[in-house]
Amino acid sequence: MEVPRSASISLDVVLRFVDIASDALAGAREEIDALNVYPVPDGDTGTNMYLTVSAAREAIREAARDGAAELPAALAAFARGALLGARGNSGVILSEMLGAIARRIAQADEQESNAVVMAEALRQASDAAYAAVGVPVEGTMLSVLRDAADAAMERAARPGSRARDVFAVAAAAARTALARTPDQLAVLRDAGVVDAGGRGLSVILDAAEHVLTGRRPVPVTTRIGTRTIPVPHVPSAAADGQDLTADGPAYEVMYLLDAADDRVPALRERLGELGDSLVVVGGDGLWNVHVHVDDVGAAVEAGIEAGRPSRIRVTHFAEQVGEAQQRQAGRSGRRIVAVAAGPGLRRLFEEAGAVVVPGGPGRSPSAGQVLDAITGCGACEVVLLPNDAESVRVAQVAASTAESDPDLSGIRVAVIPTQAQVQGLAAVAVHEPGRAFELDVLEMTATARHARHGAVTVAARRAMTMAGPCEPGDALGVIAGDFAVVGEDLYAVATEVLERLLGGGGELVTIVAGTDDADGALATRCAGYVERRHPAVDVVVYDGGQERYPLLVSVE
C-alpha cells in the first residue's frame, strides 16, 4: 500500500524495513562472506554489513519505544546507530549510505511525492558514499548503488510514480549492476565471484522492494569467461589461505572520532598518504574512520591531531585467519558475558568471573561489541546476560553470528533473556562451571526468571503511565519493566515498590544504588525499612553506579 503523501513515509514502514533487511542479511551473511575477495579477502563483508544494520535497527527500535518519538528523531537515531555500529570497510560505507537516506526522508516536505523523496534519498546516499571513500573503485557497492539511484531518479520523474515503483526498479538495477561487477574489477573476475559489498547492498534493496510491494526479487545471471553463473554466486573458496597483505597494507585501523568538521579534510589527506581503502563518514562532530595502513601509530596519531579517537580497532590481515584458528583450537571452559549499566555493577559481575560489556537502559551496546566479547573471552561455551530489555535482541544477534562463524566452529552460546541488571546478578550467583552446559543455563535462567525486579526513577517529561499521568520530576516506581507507581517522594515510591515485590513472599532483597543516590542514603533507608517491616527477609545493598535509576531492586 502506498504511503500517503501528507505523511511522507511512516515510522511503521521504516521499522518493517529494518526488520526485514536485518533478517535478510542474517540469512545471506555467510554467502556474502564467501564472496569477499576485495579489497582484502578476509571473509567478513557479510558479517560487517549485518552487524551495521543490526546496530541501526536496535537504535531506531529503542527510539520508537518512546511513544513521543517523531519520525525525524527516530531516523536520526537510526543514522547514529549505523555510524556507531559500523564495522569494516563495507560497514562504514553502508553506514554513510543509510545515514544519507535517513536524513533525506527526515527532511521530506509534506507536498513532495514519496517517489521523488526516495529516489533523491538513494541519489544522496550514492553521492555521500563516493565522497566518503578516499579512492572510489568501480565494480563495488559504490557502483551498484549509483546504478540503482540512476534508475530510481529516472522512474521518479515519470508522472504517477510511487515509492514502490522506485524501489522495484532500483532493486532490479542493483542486481543487474552486481552482475557486471566482475567485468569492472579484475580481482572479482579472476576469483569467479561478484562483489561482496554489492551483493549485501542488493539484499538491502531487495528488502525495501519486498516491504513496499510484497514481491520477491527475480534472479539475475552473469557470464564470467565461458561460464554463466547466478547472482549471487558463492565460490567454493574465495580466500583459500592466500597472503592477505601481498598487494597492500598490512593493517586495518578503525576508530570513532570526536572532531570539528573542519578538521576532517586534513585528516582525509593525511590518511590518504598513509594507506588505502580510506573511508571517513559522519558529521556534526562525530566520525567513523577506516583505513588500511602499514603504520598503525601514524594512523592513530592523525586522529589525535584532528580530535579525540575512541573505540580503536586494529586488525592484522595476514594473522587474522591464523589467529582465528588458534582461538578455535585453544578455546576451553565456560565464560559469562554480561552487560553492566554502571561501574559498581561492572565490578560485581567481574568479581563473579564475567566478561563485561558496558551498556544498560538507554545505551544498549551494539551486537559487534557483544560479539567481540564472545570471541575474545577464549571459551568454547558462553552464556550471555543482556540485563535489560533493549539488549536482549542485541545479544541474540551476536550469539547467532558467533555460532555460525566458521572460525568459531563448535562454540556454544546461550542467551538468558535477563530484563534487568538485578536479574543478571541473581543468575550469575548460581552459575556453576562444573555443571553440564545445559544444566547451568537452565539453573541460571530459572533463577533469573524467579527474581522479581523493580526500580525507582524520576520522570523526565509529562506522560501517561499504567499508574496514571506523571509530570516532570515525579518519582516513578517500576515493576517488571512497567511504570506501576507515581508519587512525589522517592522513598515513598521505593517502599511501595518493595511492598508489591514482597507481596508474593521472598527470602532475599537486593538493592542497587545508582548515581543519583551516590551517598547511598536512599538505599540505606530502604534497607532499613525492609529489616523493620520484614525481619525474616535478608537484605543486601550494592553501589551500582547506574544512571537514570536511583535504585534497582529485586526479590528472590
Side-chain angles (χ1 to χ4, degrees), residues 28 31-32 35 178 194-195 199 202-203 219-220 229-235:
E31 164 204 309
I32 298 170
L35 293 168
L178 178 63
V194 293
D195 180 65
R199 169 57 180 156
S202 182
V203 168
V220 178
I229 62 170
V231 176
H233 166 65
V234 183

Side-chain angles (χ1 to χ4, degrees), residues 453-545:
H453 59 94
V456 178
T457 188
V458 177
R461 59 179 179 81
R462 177 180 296 176
M464 178 60 67
T465 74
M466 291 181 62
C470 70
E471 298 291 333
D474 281 350
L476 300 177
V478 183
I479 296 177
D482 292 323
F483 293 112
V485 184
V486 177
E488 297 180 356
D489 179 69
L490 280 173
Y491 175 71
V493 169
T495 55
E496 176 64 20
V497 169
L498 285 165
E499 286 295 342
R500 295 195 188 188
L501 293 176
L502 284 164
E507 299 176 353
L508 174 66
V509 171
T510 301
I511 301 175
V512 182
T515 54
D516 291 337
D517 186 32
D519 59 0
L522 179 59
T524 301
R525 277 185 78 189
C526 290
Y529 172 87
V530 174
E531 290 170 346
R532 291 192 305 273
R533 297 293 298 270
H534 303 272
V537 176
D538 292 328
V539 184
V540 293
V541 177
Y542 297 117
D543 175 14

